[in-house]
Amino acid sequence: MLRTSSYTIYVDLPSNDEDMLLVHGYTGAFDKVSRRVATYVRSLEARRPPKPLYGDWSPEPFLEGQTPSVSEQAIDVLKRRGYLTELSPEEEEEVFVKFSTDLHELQLRQMPTYMIMPTYNCNLRCSYCFQDHMRTDSRFNHLLKLIQPSMVDRIFKGMVEIEEMHGVPEGSRQQRTIGFFGGEPLLEGSRPMVQYILDKAFEMGPAFFWAVTNGTDLHAYEDLLSPGKISALQITIDGPPEEHDRRRIYADGSGSYERIARNITMALDRGISISIRLNLDRNNIGQLPGIIDDFLAHGWDRYPLFSAYTAPIRAENEKTDAKTTFDTWELDQALAEMFAGDSRLHLISRPDDAIKLGARRIFSNPGKAMPSFKESFCSAHTRMYIFDAFADIYACWEKTGDPTVRIGHVDDDGKISLNVTVNHLWKSRTVTSNPACRKCRYALHCGGGCAILALGRTGRYHANFCDGFASRFRASVAEAYLEHVQGKEIQTRGGRVCDQ
Amino acid sequence: MAENENRTDESSEIESLNQEVLDADKLTPEDLERVSGGGCTDFTATCERFSGSCTGFHDPKPPSES
């Protein structure tokens, strides 16, 4: 019996009573249809979407009016595009699971990517740091040592075995992507080891280096900051200078802003990509104009490789009051309101600019463009390996240092010992590994949400973390379409490391 | 990969904004390669923009245009 695909998404177009968009969750179709056609499609929905494991689905746009009839020709088109199907909901879910599984297997056969943590130590003492205990509780002192050359050698030997596990033949000369993370990975005192890591990587083949750094000691790395060496940095700024200096402080309580700002300018002058992360909540969002003023005063907006992005602060510990936080949808909406009144703010990316950009690219190349589907939320579930100074291996940086979530270890001889259970826990998390996502029409556009945030909310890694995605997707696609028909230029400035 | 015409209904009530769609029953390896975003793919020189979801200085692959 003909029915509406369980993976059909309805996108309302603001100020347009005639048309709306249909998007399909696994065929990749994007169509503009009359409300009459949309109402017809809606009328063939077999059942209400299931309730997620926590929270509520964002409501789909309500369609009013009598159920119309449409031509056979239109029905044929709707079937070819995927919006109508003869499959039962169960049969269609099987197709969805097979497709998603195939996508995941493809990802698991790609070249791995790496992060190296030279140390868990840091020169700042930000109160909200998730690793704060490592520097303030003496029981964790053993974690603060700096990686040693023998450990680096071991890790690079291990990379070859990991690549073989992913089907990459030894000696393939594929570029390795290696990020630095900490602690603070680019401390002045760590410079010899960072240099050693770069040398070791380039000895083995082409490599691309980037880092998440607080930016305080970059002056010690000036000659290593170049497009052929460390080419991209993410640096967090916590507000205008005076506010930043209250939050991102040295152990003696002094501020870090001036030093960081000087280093950002130096790095930009050296052709490095700088992505500023701005963590926002209801208390500090009002400071955005002040932050922009400072960016402009430094002239950073004139560098094409400078970008800044926003991310919501999460209530992940007792120091953060949940009432002060935004979810991603709320933050995006708050920023949209602010941006409407201040053109300078467009220097900063909103959280959902990537969704909008993806849709813009499809609309601007209708002959060939297809969406990118995310069968898993991030590369922690596919091909990322994080090594700490002890050659322990983790899948996600949010849990580094916690032995219970280690996915493995590089042994003395460079052999990889995987914790099969923990590794499988991470690598098998996809949109098919929990019942809410497998039935979700947005799943392949969303990826199921962050595993760590799902764990915090539900106690399980294999659970959905929706984060308002349905509303975010619909609003972003609608905005993209309106910009497309208005002929607005596609903005591509921007960069980010992690949405969470 | 199935292809659809641009304006498809006689009364122009359906306008396909991208012409090609996947036929999930007849997927080829090339189809999968084209649409695989795989969570995030880490930064490569071919990415025009960083974005998205987590881990790595990375970018969901732009929609395939090949």
Side-chain angles (χ1 to χ4, degrees):
Chain A
M1 189 180 74
L2 193 65
R3 67 176 184 89
T4 301
S5 163
S6 311
Y7 300 90
T8 298
I9 298 167
Y10 307 87
V11 177
D12 247 339
L13 294 171
S15 312
N16 184 338
D17 295 332
E18 302 294 318
D19 304 307
M20 60 190 304
L21 305 184
L22 296 182
V23 179
H24 197 270
Y26 63 80
T27 70
F30 283 68
D31 293 82
K32 187 177 80 167
V33 301
S34 67
R35 290 232 160 215
R36 203 174 72 83
V37 169
T39 304
Y40 170 76
V41 173
R42 198 70 186 273
S43 73
L44 295 181
E45 289 265 2
R47 60 188 181 201
R48 294 291 300 159
K51 205 170 160 51
L53 295 183
Y54 83 87
D56 293 301
W57 295 115
S58 302
E60 298 289 344
F62 182 67
L63 293 168
E64 294 183 14
Q66 298 291 314
T67 302
S69 60
V70 301
S71 68
E72 285 301 315
Q73 187 187 359
I75 290 172
D76 283 346
V77 173
L78 292 167
K79 284 164 72 173
R80 280 205 301 277
R81 304 289 288 172
Y83 305 118
L84 299 181
T85 180
E86 306 277 359
L87 297 174
S88 69
E90 294 75 21
E91 288 169 335
E92 191 183 25
E93 189 175 319
E94 280 177 30
V95 169
F96 175 81
V97 169
K98 167 81 168 54
F99 178 37
S100 303
T101 303
D102 287 349
L103 284 172
H104 196 55
E105 284 173 1
L106 177 66
Q107 278 297 316
L108 291 171
R109 294 195 302 273
Q110 304 295 308
M111 178 74 170
T113 62
Y114 307 105
M115 296 181 76
I116 297 177
M117 304 172 70
T119 178
Y120 287 99
N121 203 357
C122 184
N123 54 347
L124 298 186
R125 294 292 180 272
C126 313
S127 63
Y128 57 79
C129 179
F130 74 104
Q131 296 172 333
D132 191 45
H133 61 283
M134 296 179 184
R135 295 132 209 159
T136 54
D137 185 335
S138 59
R139 288 173 300 169
F140 295 93
N141 277 353
H142 63 284
L143 288 176
L144 303 183
K145 64 186 277 195
L146 179 63
I147 197 168
Q148 294 302 300
S150 60
M151 210 59 89
V152 174
D153 294 348
R154 192 198 290 193
I155 287 169
F156 275 91
K157 264 190 196 166
M159 286 181 185
V160 175
E161 186 180 336
I162 289 171
E163 286 156 18
E164 283 174 2
M165 290 192 292
H166 283 255
V168 179
E170 190 173 352
S172 76
R173 302 287 297 176
Q174 285 193 52
Q175 175 173 273
R176 290 186 177 85
T177 299
I178 302 172
F180 289 110
F181 188 68
E184 167 49 39
L186 303 183
L187 291 171
E188 190 164 4
S190 304
R191 151 83 208 222
M193 286 316 305
V194 171
Q195 171 87 62
Y196 187 82
I197 291 167
L198 263 70
D199 291 346
K200 189 79 190 171
F202 288 125
E203 191 182 292
M204 288 175 61
F208 173 88
F209 282 96
W210 59 277
V212 176
T213 171
N214 63 29
T216 54
D217 283 359
L218 287 181
H219 50 275
Y221 290 82
E222 188 164 353
D223 62 313
L224 295 185
L225 300 178
S226 76
K229 294 179 179 174
I230 300 174
S231 343
L233 302 174
Q234 178 187 282
I235 299 172
T236 296
I237 286 181
D238 271 359
E242 57 283 5
E243 178 64 23
H244 177 96
D245 282 344
R246 273 194 285 271
R247 294 184 180 213
R248 293 180 78 76
I249 53 174
Y250 287 94
D252 66 2
S254 61
S256 57
Y257 191 89
E258 189 187 336
R259 214 167 158 179
I260 294 169
R262 205 166 45 238
N263 281 332
I264 289 173
T265 302
M266 176 272 290
L268 287 167
D269 282 337
R270 293 190 57 78
I272 294 302
S273 173
I274 298 282
S275 176
I276 301 292
R277 180 180 172 106
L278 299 164
N279 296 320
L280 297 177
D281 60 19
R282 294 176 197 277
N283 292 331
N284 70 359
I285 191 168
Q287 296 173 341
L288 262 185
I291 296 172
I292 297 285
D293 285 343
D294 193 67
F295 290 177
L296 297 174
H298 282 96
W300 295 337
D301 57 308
R302 294 196 293 273
Y303 292 88
L305 293 178
F306 175 81
S307 63
Y309 77 96
T310 50
I313 292 172
R314 308 282 184 180
E316 293 297 300
N317 60 34
E318 68 284 355
K319 294 176 187 169
T320 309
D321 179 358
K323 292 192 192 102
T324 66
T325 63
F326 292 110
D327 67 21
T328 303
W329 167 240
E330 292 166 341
L331 175 60
D332 197 65
Q333 289 304 289
L335 290 169
E337 202 171 302
M338 289 182 82
F339 281 30
D342 189 343
S343 61
R344 296 170 309 153
L345 289 172
H346 290 281
L347 185 60
I348 296 175
S349 299
R350 283 161 48 191
D352 289 330
D353 279 358
I355 303 174
K356 190 169 80 174
L357 182 67
R360 285 295 310 269
R361 285 189 167 135
I362 287 169
F363 302 148
S364 65
N365 185 11
K368 301 261 178 159
M370 291 288 290
S372 284
F373 287 133
K374 293 171 61 173
E375 89 295 338
S376 56
F377 184 68
C378 75
S379 46
H381 310 297
T382 54
R383 57 203 180 93
M384 188 169 72
Y385 294 84
I386 304 170
F387 303 98
D388 70 6
F390 312 96
D392 290 326
I393 312 173
Y394 298 87
C396 170
W397 59 28
E398 295 281 352
K399 287 289 181 182
T400 47
D402 179 350
T404 64
V405 295
R406 268 178 211 152
I407 62 170
H409 181 75
V410 193
D411 296 335
D412 292 349
D413 57 0
K415 295 282 182 199
I416 300 292
S417 296
L418 284 180
N419 181 325
V420 175
T421 305
V422 180
N423 187 51
H424 180 74
L425 181 74
W426 281 96
K427 296 292 192 288
S428 64
R429 185 179 187 269
T430 71
V431 294
T432 70
S433 67
N434 75 76
C437 291
R438 319 164 52 119
K439 291 178 166 52
C440 175
R441 58 193 71 199
Y442 298 92
L444 284 175
H445 291 284
C446 158
C450 172
I452 294 300
L453 295 177
L455 179 71
R457 186 71 66 102
T458 69
R460 296 187 306 279
Y461 285 97
H462 287 254
N464 56 307
F465 187 82
C466 300
D467 198 20
F469 188 85
S471 299
R472 294 161 50 202
F473 181 82
R474 290 200 307 267
S476 298
V477 170
E479 200 174 323
Y481 182 76
L482 295 178
E483 287 187 4
H484 171 68
V485 296
Q486 290 163 3
K488 277 194 182 172
E489 189 185 347
I490 297 178
Q491 299 289 330
T492 56
R493 178 195 283 267
R496 66 185 59 202
V497 171
C498 182
D499 269 351
Q500 308 311 328
Chain B
M1 192 82 65
E3 193 160 312
N4 290 276
E5 55 273 49
N6 241 359
R7 279 270 172 189
T8 40
D9 182 56
E10 76 276 11
S11 55
S12 300
E13 287 192 281
I14 306 172
E15 180 186 354
S16 295
L17 300 173
N18 58 342
Q19 291 181 29
E20 294 184 0
V21 290
L22 294 174
D23 182 340
D25 281 335
K26 299 173 191 162
L27 288 174
T28 65
E30 292 73 27
D31 289 340
L32 288 171
E33 290 274 359
R34 280 190 68 186
V35 299
S36 172
C40 307
T41 50
D42 295 70
F43 179 88
T44 70
T46 58
C47 295
E48 292 178 38
R49 176 195 158 88
F50 309 122
S51 143
S53 321
C54 148
T55 56
F57 217 102
H58 59 110
D59 188 355
K61 196 170 57 176
S64 172
E65 292 165 8
S66 59

